[in-house]
Amino acid sequence: MPAPTPLRLAVGALAVVSATAALSGCAFLSQFTGAGEAQRDTEGQVVEGNDSTDVFTLRVGDCLNDADAIEQVETVPTTPCDEPHDSEVFASVIMTEDDYPGQEAILERADAECLTEFEAFVGGGYNDSPYDFSYYFPTEGSWSEGDREILCVIYDPAGPVTGSLEGSSS
């Protein structure tokens, strides 16, 4: 089976104080970057989008309007999943290495883990699906601030979708 060739997105390294605040969940981060968290209901679902949601606050199940995201990012637009959106966070992979393993090792891990999670999420094989995946991953700078999370995102190359793509192969 050929390896997927997802568009690779990098989580940008924030300034030391901002990254520390983001990783510790401090609400004052938006004072420094203009970023924040999406408004969520009691179950954690986004109920009101945010044009500049801090990437360190993203959760599995969040829907994003990130088609224009390139290179390193600090914020992405979030939206409720029942509204048109570009992608959906479908898995989180936490790396356990102490030392930064290098971008190539991170990308290999992201490709493998996100592929496995993709097939479980859609309920079918990657090659049989019209959807693709990508991911946000730690940079060397964000790693030094404690970032170890790869976020897998599913998207439709044909354009925005409405609703979750979970179980879409069934």
Side-chain angles (χ1 to χ4, degrees):
M1 171 164 102
T5 56
L7 170 67
R8 295 186 170 130
L9 303 174
V11 173
L14 301 173
V16 173
V17 69
S18 296
T20 301
L23 294 173
S24 66
C26 293
F28 69 87
L29 177 66
S30 61
Q31 296 175 20
F32 300 108
T33 65
E37 289 191 51
Q39 186 175 355
R40 299 177 183 278
D41 63 17
T42 56
E43 284 126 28
Q45 300 299 309
V46 173
V47 293
E48 186 175 319
N50 179 333
D51 286 339
S52 56
T53 299
D54 182 337
V55 294
F56 291 104
T57 66
L58 294 176
R59 303 178 189 177
V60 171
D62 286 355
C63 291
L64 316 171
N65 282 318
D66 61 346
D68 295 331
I70 57 171
E71 301 295 325
Q72 296 183 2
V73 297
E74 295 175 6
T75 65
V76 293
T78 52
T79 189
C81 291
D82 60 358
E83 295 179 12
H85 55 274
D86 300 322
S87 65
E88 176 182 356
V89 179
F90 69 91
S92 168
V93 177
I94 304 298
M95 300 186 72
T96 58
E97 295 86 343
D98 289 328
D99 296 325
Y100 182 70
Q103 183 172 318
E104 186 174 325
I106 291 173
L107 297 180
E108 287 176 10
R109 174 101 180 257
D111 279 338
E113 300 251 3
C114 290
L115 176 61
T116 299
E117 295 293 332
F118 176 94
E119 292 180 340
F121 182 76
V122 299
Y126 173 77
N127 289 334
D128 298 326
S129 175
Y131 306 116
D132 206 343
F133 68 88
S134 184
Y135 35 80
Y136 291 92
F137 61 92
T139 64
E140 188 170 7
S142 69
W143 190 278
S144 69
E145 297 299 322
D147 180 22
R148 301 292 188 275
E149 185 173 37
I150 298 168
L151 290 173
C152 306
V153 296
I154 187 171
Y155 67 95
D156 186 342
V161 298
T162 301
S164 176
L165 294 176
E166 184 172 13
S168 58
S169 186
S170 303

mmCIF file of all heavy atoms in Angstrom, residues 137-161:
data_model
loop_
_atom_site.group_PDB
_atom_site.id
_atom_site.type_symbol
_atom_site.label_atom_id
_atom_site.label_comp_id
_atom_site.label_asym_id
_atom_site.label_seq_id
_atom_site.Cartn_x
_atom_site.Cartn_y
_atom_site.Cartn_z
ATOM 1 N N PHE A 137 2.287 18.922 14.006
ATOM 2 C CA PHE A 137 3.301 18.200 14.758
ATOM 3 C C PHE A 137 4.255 19.172 15.450
ATOM 4 O O PHE A 137 4.370 20.331 15.046
ATOM 5 C CB PHE A 137 4.072 17.243 13.848
ATOM 6 C CG PHE A 137 4.806 17.921 12.718
ATOM 7 C CD1 PHE A 137 6.120 18.318 12.862
ATOM 8 C CD2 PHE A 137 4.180 18.159 11.504
ATOM 9 C CE1 PHE A 137 6.809 18.932 11.830
ATOM 10 C CE2 PHE A 137 4.847 18.787 10.462
ATOM 11 C CZ PHE A 137 6.169 19.168 10.625
ATOM 12 N N PRO A 138 4.963 18.689 16.477
ATOM 13 C CA PRO A 138 5.884 19.562 17.205
ATOM 14 C C PRO A 138 7.088 19.969 16.349
ATOM 15 O O PRO A 138 7.617 19.158 15.585
ATOM 16 C CB PRO A 138 6.370 18.702 18.376
ATOM 17 C CG PRO A 138 5.488 17.522 18.421
ATOM 18 C CD PRO A 138 4.892 17.361 17.062
ATOM 19 N N THR A 139 7.486 21.207 16.502
ATOM 20 C CA THR A 139 8.739 21.667 15.914
ATOM 21 C C THR A 139 9.817 21.527 16.985
ATOM 22 O O THR A 139 9.513 21.268 18.153
ATOM 23 C CB THR A 139 8.645 23.137 15.486
ATOM 24 O OG1 THR A 139 8.436 23.937 16.656
ATOM 25 C CG2 THR A 139 7.532 23.358 14.469
ATOM 26 N N GLU A 140 11.039 21.734 16.613
ATOM 27 C CA GLU A 140 12.113 21.661 17.605
ATOM 28 C C GLU A 140 11.898 22.702 18.703
ATOM 29 O O GLU A 140 12.112 22.427 19.886
ATOM 30 C CB GLU A 140 13.472 21.853 16.941
ATOM 31 C CG GLU A 140 14.624 21.592 17.871
ATOM 32 C CD GLU A 140 15.964 21.547 17.154
ATOM 33 O OE1 GLU A 140 16.039 21.846 15.945
ATOM 34 O OE2 GLU A 140 16.950 21.188 17.831
ATOM 35 N N GLY A 141 11.431 23.888 18.322
ATOM 36 C CA GLY A 141 11.183 24.933 19.307
ATOM 37 C C GLY A 141 10.044 24.593 20.251
ATOM 38 O O GLY A 141 10.160 24.786 21.465
ATOM 39 N N SER A 142 8.928 24.087 19.704
ATOM 40 C CA SER A 142 7.804 23.753 20.593
ATOM 41 C C SER A 142 8.129 22.526 21.441
ATOM 42 O O SER A 142 7.663 22.407 22.576
ATOM 43 C CB SER A 142 6.501 23.560 19.796
ATOM 44 O OG SER A 142 6.530 22.402 18.985
ATOM 45 N N TRP A 143 8.956 21.613 20.907
ATOM 46 C CA TRP A 143 9.393 20.437 21.670
ATOM 47 C C TRP A 143 10.134 20.878 22.927
ATOM 48 O O TRP A 143 9.921 20.343 24.011
ATOM 49 C CB TRP A 143 10.295 19.560 20.811
ATOM 50 C CG TRP A 143 10.617 18.228 21.404
ATOM 51 C CD1 TRP A 143 11.578 17.941 22.336
ATOM 52 C CD2 TRP A 143 9.971 16.996 21.125
ATOM 53 N NE1 TRP A 143 11.579 16.610 22.643
ATOM 54 C CE2 TRP A 143 10.606 15.997 21.905
ATOM 55 C CE3 TRP A 143 8.927 16.616 20.274
ATOM 56 C CZ2 TRP A 143 10.216 14.662 21.859
ATOM 57 C CZ3 TRP A 143 8.551 15.286 20.227
ATOM 58 C CH2 TRP A 143 9.193 14.322 21.025
ATOM 59 N N SER A 144 10.986 21.882 22.775
ATOM 60 C CA SER A 144 11.767 22.344 23.927
ATOM 61 C C SER A 144 10.884 22.960 25.005
ATOM 62 O O SER A 144 11.285 23.066 26.159
ATOM 63 C CB SER A 144 12.832 23.353 23.488
ATOM 64 O OG SER A 144 12.242 24.562 23.072
ATOM 65 N N GLU A 145 9.653 23.320 24.640
ATOM 66 C CA GLU A 145 8.692 23.864 25.599
ATOM 67 C C GLU A 145 7.729 22.802 26.123
ATOM 68 O O GLU A 145 6.780 23.117 26.828
ATOM 69 C CB GLU A 145 7.898 25.009 24.951
ATOM 70 C CG GLU A 145 8.749 26.197 24.554
ATOM 71 C CD GLU A 145 9.447 26.828 25.740
ATOM 72 O OE1 GLU A 145 8.844 26.904 26.833
ATOM 73 O OE2 GLU A 145 10.611 27.241 25.586
ATOM 74 N N GLY A 146 7.957 21.531 25.726
ATOM 75 C CA GLY A 146 7.140 20.437 26.248
ATOM 76 C C GLY A 146 6.109 19.873 25.289
ATOM 77 O O GLY A 146 5.374 18.953 25.636
ATOM 78 N N ASP A 147 6.031 20.380 24.066
ATOM 79 C CA ASP A 147 5.054 19.901 23.083
ATOM 80 C C ASP A 147 5.470 18.531 22.567
ATOM 81 O O ASP A 147 6.558 18.374 22.015
ATOM 82 C CB ASP A 147 4.966 20.906 21.933
ATOM 83 C CG ASP A 147 3.985 20.496 20.851
ATOM 84 O OD1 ASP A 147 3.083 19.685 21.126
ATOM 85 O OD2 ASP A 147 4.108 21.023 19.721
ATOM 86 N N ARG A 148 4.617 17.543 22.736
ATOM 87 C CA ARG A 148 4.885 16.184 22.252
ATOM 88 C C ARG A 148 3.712 15.628 21.443
ATOM 89 O O ARG A 148 3.674 14.449 21.141
ATOM 90 C CB ARG A 148 5.142 15.226 23.439
ATOM 91 C CG ARG A 148 6.308 15.605 24.345
ATOM 92 C CD ARG A 148 7.641 15.464 23.635
ATOM 93 N NE ARG A 148 8.775 15.632 24.521
ATOM 94 C CZ ARG A 148 9.311 16.814 24.837
ATOM 95 N NH1 ARG A 148 8.809 17.922 24.365
ATOM 96 N NH2 ARG A 148 10.364 16.874 25.625
ATOM 97 N N GLU A 149 2.747 16.473 21.088
ATOM 98 C CA GLU A 149 1.506 15.991 20.483
ATOM 99 C C GLU A 149 1.487 16.158 18.969
ATOM 100 O O GLU A 149 1.779 17.224 18.435
ATOM 101 C CB GLU A 149 0.321 16.737 21.088
ATOM 102 C CG GLU A 149 -1.023 16.215 20.616
ATOM 103 C CD GLU A 149 -2.180 16.843 21.356
ATOM 104 O OE1 GLU A 149 -2.115 18.054 21.673
ATOM 105 O OE2 GLU A 149 -3.158 16.124 21.613
ATOM 106 N N ILE A 150 1.110 15.071 18.307
ATOM 107 C CA ILE A 150 0.799 15.093 16.876
ATOM 108 C C ILE A 150 -0.718 15.057 16.798
ATOM 109 O O ILE A 150 -1.353 14.183 17.400
ATOM 110 C CB ILE A 150 1.388 13.863 16.152
ATOM 111 C CG1 ILE A 150 2.911 13.848 16.240
ATOM 112 C CG2 ILE A 150 0.907 13.810 14.707
ATOM 113 C CD1 ILE A 150 3.548 12.531 15.818
ATOM 114 N N LEU A 151 -1.312 16.006 16.080
ATOM 115 C CA LEU A 151 -2.761 16.023 15.884
ATOM 116 C C LEU A 151 -3.062 15.634 14.443
ATOM 117 O O LEU A 151 -2.626 16.316 13.502
ATOM 118 C CB LEU A 151 -3.340 17.409 16.171
ATOM 119 C CG LEU A 151 -3.340 17.841 17.629
ATOM 120 C CD1 LEU A 151 -3.788 19.298 17.738
ATOM 121 C CD2 LEU A 151 -4.254 16.947 18.452
ATOM 122 N N CYS A 152 -3.785 14.547 14.266
ATOM 123 C CA CYS A 152 -4.157 14.063 12.940
ATOM 124 C C CYS A 152 -5.459 14.738 12.523
ATOM 125 O O CYS A 152 -6.411 14.796 13.309
ATOM 126 C CB CYS A 152 -4.369 12.555 12.970
ATOM 127 S SG CYS A 152 -2.967 11.616 13.638
ATOM 128 N N VAL A 153 -5.506 15.234 11.284
ATOM 129 C CA VAL A 153 -6.715 15.880 10.770
ATOM 130 C C VAL A 153 -7.129 15.227 9.452
ATOM 131 O O VAL A 153 -6.294 14.886 8.621
ATOM 132 C CB VAL A 153 -6.542 17.407 10.590
ATOM 133 C CG1 VAL A 153 -6.316 18.095 11.917
ATOM 134 C CG2 VAL A 153 -5.418 17.750 9.635
ATOM 135 N N ILE A 154 -8.418 15.022 9.302
ATOM 136 C CA ILE A 154 -8.986 14.463 8.078
ATOM 137 C C ILE A 154 -9.609 15.599 7.286
ATOM 138 O O ILE A 154 -10.137 16.553 7.861
ATOM 139 C CB ILE A 154 -10.036 13.368 8.402
ATOM 140 C CG1 ILE A 154 -10.499 12.670 7.126
ATOM 141 C CG2 ILE A 154 -11.198 13.929 9.220
ATOM 142 C CD1 ILE A 154 -11.378 11.437 7.376
ATOM 143 N N TYR A 155 -9.523 15.495 5.958
ATOM 144 C CA TYR A 155 -10.135 16.512 5.111
ATOM 145 C C TYR A 155 -10.563 15.896 3.781
ATOM 146 O O TYR A 155 -10.115 14.814 3.397
ATOM 147 C CB TYR A 155 -9.186 17.694 4.892
ATOM 148 C CG TYR A 155 -7.950 17.360 4.085
ATOM 149 C CD1 TYR A 155 -7.915 17.575 2.706
ATOM 150 C CD2 TYR A 155 -6.820 16.836 4.688
ATOM 151 C CE1 TYR A 155 -6.781 17.276 1.964
ATOM 152 C CE2 TYR A 155 -5.685 16.540 3.961
ATOM 153 C CZ TYR A 155 -5.670 16.769 2.591
ATOM 154 O OH TYR A 155 -4.547 16.458 1.857
ATOM 155 N N ASP A 156 -11.446 16.599 3.093
ATOM 156 C CA ASP A 156 -11.909 16.197 1.778
ATOM 157 C C ASP A 156 -11.183 17.067 0.757
ATOM 158 O O ASP A 156 -11.368 18.287 0.751
ATOM 159 C CB ASP A 156 -13.427 16.401 1.668
ATOM 160 C CG ASP A 156 -14.001 15.860 0.378
ATOM 161 O OD1 ASP A 156 -13.238 15.631 -0.596
ATOM 162 O OD2 ASP A 156 -15.234 15.681 0.319
ATOM 163 N N PRO A 157 -10.346 16.485 -0.106
ATOM 164 C CA PRO A 157 -9.641 17.275 -1.107
ATOM 165 C C PRO A 157 -10.586 18.046 -2.043
ATOM 166 O O PRO A 157 -10.192 19.033 -2.649
ATOM 167 C CB PRO A 157 -8.836 16.246 -1.896
ATOM 168 C CG PRO A 157 -8.688 15.083 -0.971
ATOM 169 C CD PRO A 157 -9.961 15.082 -0.149
ATOM 170 N N ALA A 158 -11.854 17.612 -2.112
ATOM 171 C CA ALA A 158 -12.830 18.277 -2.973
ATOM 172 C C ALA A 158 -13.351 19.580 -2.369
ATOM 173 O O ALA A 158 -13.978 20.374 -3.064
ATOM 174 C CB ALA A 158 -13.996 17.347 -3.275
ATOM 175 N N GLY A 159 -13.110 19.781 -1.074
ATOM 176 C CA GLY A 159 -13.561 21.026 -0.451
ATOM 177 C C GLY A 159 -14.238 20.809 0.884
ATOM 178 O O GLY A 159 -14.257 19.683 1.420
ATOM 179 N N PRO A 160 -14.788 21.876 1.441
ATOM 180 C CA PRO A 160 -15.394 21.816 2.784
ATOM 181 C C PRO A 160 -16.509 20.779 2.902
ATOM 182 O O PRO A 160 -17.180 20.448 1.916
ATOM 183 C CB PRO A 160 -15.956 23.221 2.989
ATOM 184 C CG PRO A 160 -15.145 24.093 2.090
ATOM 185 C CD PRO A 160 -14.833 23.225 0.878
ATOM 186 N N VAL A 161 -16.668 20.270 4.121
ATOM 187 C CA VAL A 161 -17.732 19.322 4.451
ATOM 188 C C VAL A 161 -18.517 19.879 5.626
ATOM 189 O O VAL A 161 -18.080 20.806 6.298
ATOM 190 C CB VAL A 161 -17.176 17.927 4.816
ATOM 191 C CG1 VAL A 161 -16.423 17.322 3.648
ATOM 192 C CG2 VAL A 161 -16.297 17.986 6.051
#
